[in-house]
Amino acid sequence: DAGVIQSPRHEVTEMGQEVTLRCKPISGHNSLFWYRQTMMRGLELLIYFNNNVPIDDSGMPEDRFSAKMPNASFSTLKIQPSEPRDSAVYFCASSLGHGVYEQYFGPGTRLTVT
Amino acid sequence: DQQVKQNSPSLSVQEGRISILNCDYTNSMFDYFLWYKKYPAEGPTFLISISSIKDKNEDGRFTVFLNKSAKHLSLHIVPSQPGDSAVYFCAARDSGTYKYIFGTGTRLKVLA
């Protein structure tokens, strides 16, 4: 298996622009997670899905952030409008089931908002 | 409010010696703990875990110790190898929500 796939790997955008991050989980995994990594807060869980349904989005920082999972093999995290403080590395992870199994992480998307 | 704390941002160890990475937590609802290892430009990968009903789990050169009364866990790597140089994240699972809470990471550098 190719593992969790994320695109793009790097994104540089200007403040106010819309940013869309993409994730393809491992086939057969039922749970998908979006994390943000910063120096100050480490890895923060933003939102997770179970069987394509959003279960907990309490980690989403603001209404500017939204996430969708239209099917079992694809998810997006959108930031609109983006701000410089959104600059971070965003990871997608998947697992066989929520909370029970280890999570497999993608390589991350490094987002820079200028 | 960090529920999982890794107070040492970095650690340097000589090759062949023991590396000890520490993690403290505050939430007594945590019932499962994991360590992840992260190389630059890659996502974290699972390393080792321990249930709250145990106090030790060993896998090759890696051993995790859990002290529930002190709300402290540690990862021991013996002997340390240059390839162990990475960022190590401690994570804890909330038994109520099943969410994993990660620490801020410790960068380990093993010197050859």
Side-chain angles (χ1 to χ4, degrees):
Chain A
D1 200 314
V4 176
I5 299 173
Q6 290 187 248
S7 65
R9 293 294 308 273
H10 301 274
E11 178 78 39
V12 180
T13 191
E14 291 184 349
M15 182 174 64
Q17 296 298 307
E18 177 180 297
V19 174
T20 299
L21 311 181
R22 296 173 177 80
C23 175
K24 176 178 167 54
I26 293 173
S27 177
H29 281 192
N30 298 324
S31 298
L32 183 140
F33 310 82
W34 282 101
Y35 288 89
R36 177 171 67 176
Q37 183 191 4
T38 61
M39 290 294 292
M40 291 300 294
R41 301 179 68 85
L43 276 166
E44 297 177 275
L45 177 65
L46 301 177
I47 185 172
Y48 73 88
F49 296 83
N50 213 35
N51 294 319
N52 312 338
V53 176
I55 302 299
D56 187 333
D57 65 355
S58 59
M60 297 285 259
E62 299 170 33
D63 291 345
R64 299 184 295 107
F65 286 70
S66 63
K68 293 182 179 179
M69 192 164 185
N71 57 62
S73 59
F74 184 66
S75 177
T76 59
L77 177 68
K78 184 179 293 186
I79 308 173
Q80 165 64 19
S82 58
E83 296 183 3
R85 60 192 166 121
D86 301 331
S87 298
V89 181
Y90 291 80
F91 289 101
C92 175
S94 69
S95 72
L96 281 170
H98 167 54
V100 179
Y101 303 93
E102 68 183 81
Q103 298 176 13
Y104 293 80
F105 283 78
T109 295
R110 180 172 295 277
L111 173 65
T112 302
V113 183
T114 60
Chain B
D1 178 31
Q2 285 282 346
Q3 298 184 63
V4 178
K5 300 178 184 178
Q6 294 178 257
N7 293 317
S8 298
S10 63
L11 175 69
S12 289
V13 173
Q14 206 68 34
E15 180 181 7
R17 307 295 288 267
I18 184 171
S19 294
I20 300 176
L21 295 94
N22 295 303
C23 180
D24 296 294
Y25 61 96
T26 58
N27 192 338
S28 57
M29 294 291 287
F30 291 154
D31 67 343
Y32 191 60
F33 303 88
L34 307 91
W35 285 93
Y36 278 79
K37 177 179 178 179
K38 183 186 178 305
Y39 290 119
E42 295 182 11
T45 56
F46 170 75
L47 187 58
I48 192 169
S49 63
I50 187 167
S51 166
S52 59
I53 62 174
K54 296 187 174 181
D55 54 19
K56 176 183 175 182
N57 187 28
E58 191 172 349
D59 183 2
R61 297 185 298 114
F62 303 91
T63 303
V64 56
F65 295 91
L66 175 63
N67 183 334
K68 282 185 66 178
S69 61
K71 293 190 173 67
H72 176 84
L73 68 156
S74 60
L75 174 67
H76 292 210
I77 307 173
V78 182
S80 302
Q81 299 173 354
D84 297 329
S85 297
V87 177
Y88 290 79
F89 289 97
C90 167
R93 185 181 73 180
D94 187 310
S95 60
T97 64
Y98 271 21
K99 287 165 66 170
Y100 287 105
I101 311 298
F102 283 79
T104 51
T106 297
R107 183 178 301 278
L108 172 66
K109 189 171 184 179
V110 180
L111 307 170

